[in-house]
Amino acid sequence: MAFGPDDIILIIVALLFPPGAALLISGCGLDLLINLVLLFFGWIPACLHAFWLIYQKTQRQTAMYYPSAAKSNFKQSVKPRAKDTQLTFPPDTKFPWEKR
């Protein structure tokens, strides 16, 4: 994840006036309203929300331009199971939903 010049400007705007950063990122919508309400409760919550919006914007851009870099570590750490470890039942097993 790399920050570009536009992200640096957004970070400066988020530090000075957090709803301004929310407005620049997502327009006049729910994120702006949430940021205004958070600003009512304090400057720090509004800044944290603005930084989170900047982070989400950067993640979307990374996923758009570099799809392989956007994969989560969890998906890379999960290994497929071997075929012999698949769950099998003996042929005479009757399940409750089957008709006898």
Side-chain angles (χ1 to χ4, degrees):
M1 176 179 74
F3 289 107
D6 56 337
D7 296 325
I8 303 299
I9 292 171
L10 282 174
I11 290 172
I12 293 170
V13 171
L15 286 172
L16 297 175
F17 186 61
L23 179 68
L24 290 174
I25 293 170
S26 60
C28 188
L30 184 62
D31 286 328
L32 178 62
L33 180 65
I34 291 171
N35 204 289
L36 286 170
V37 170
L38 288 173
L39 186 62
F40 176 75
F41 289 114
W43 176 77
I44 292 176
C47 280
L48 291 176
H49 181 253
F51 291 147
W52 180 76
L53 289 175
I54 294 168
Y55 174 75
Q56 291 295 318
K57 175 186 146 310
T58 307
Q59 288 294 344
R60 284 192 307 268
Q61 287 178 342
T62 302
M64 184 170 46
Y65 293 116
Y66 306 105
S68 61
K71 291 182 181 175
S72 69
N73 292 333
F74 177 74
K75 290 180 183 175
Q76 293 174 354
S77 65
V78 175
K79 295 181 173 78
R81 297 189 323 179
K83 288 186 178 181
D84 60 345
T85 61
Q86 290 181 354
L87 188 60
T88 57
F89 295 100
D92 60 340
T93 303
K94 298 293 183 187
F95 294 102
W97 58 84
E98 293 180 340
K99 294 183 179 178
R100 297 187 189 245

